[in-house]
Amino acid sequence: MPQPDVIYAWHRVFSSEGEAKARVGLRKLHQLQLDGRDICFAHTAAGFFAVADACPHMGRSLSHGTTNCLNEVICPWHSYAYSLGSGRERDYRTRDAPIYPVEVRSDGVYIGIRQRPAGQQK
């Protein structure tokens, strides 16, 4: 869910919910590139989610991992488990994974990339 008072650039990643479900099966992961970022797009029974693709522990691509029934993405290297809803690592062994809001709209499935507020330096 988008944070209030935050500006997002919304990117349409699929033209419909049906296309998203067809291309990313239930409990599957798919890597996307948006605004120069690698993003792991997940489809679970709870819906669609997006998280930074690099595992915060050692950088392995989360899109090469798996999901579980707890709505987590599991890193393929060391089995660190990150909540797809909050980005929190289950056992607090490393920093959280950045997450991105996903919206299903009438004209497609969108991922929001947080924009730098006006006046902030790069």
Side-chain angles (χ1 to χ4, degrees), residues 46-103:
F48 298 116
F49 299 89
V51 62
D53 194 46
C55 177
H57 176 234
M58 292 193 69
R60 177 71 169 161
S61 172
L62 292 175
S63 62
H64 291 110
T66 58
T67 63
N68 65 19
C69 62
L70 299 174
N71 214 42
E72 296 171 326
V73 60
I74 312 301
C75 179
W77 270 0
H78 299 107
S79 300
Y80 279 43
Y82 299 91
S83 167
L84 288 167
S86 70
R88 183 168 295 132
E89 198 278 322
R90 180 192 319 151
D91 296 322
Y92 302 96
R93 297 174 290 181
T94 188
R95 67 187 183 282
D96 295 348
I99 59 170
Y100 302 94
V102 177
E103 289 186 357

Side-chain angles (χ1 to χ4, degrees), residues 3-4 8 15 19-20 28 32 37 43 55-56 61 90 98-99 103 109 111 119:
Q3 296 176 5
Y8 292 93
S15 61
E19 179 192 0
K28 299 296 181 187
L32 301 168
R37 297 175 168 111
H43 177 199
C55 177
S61 172
R90 180 192 319 151
I99 59 170
E103 289 186 357
V109 177
I111 294 177

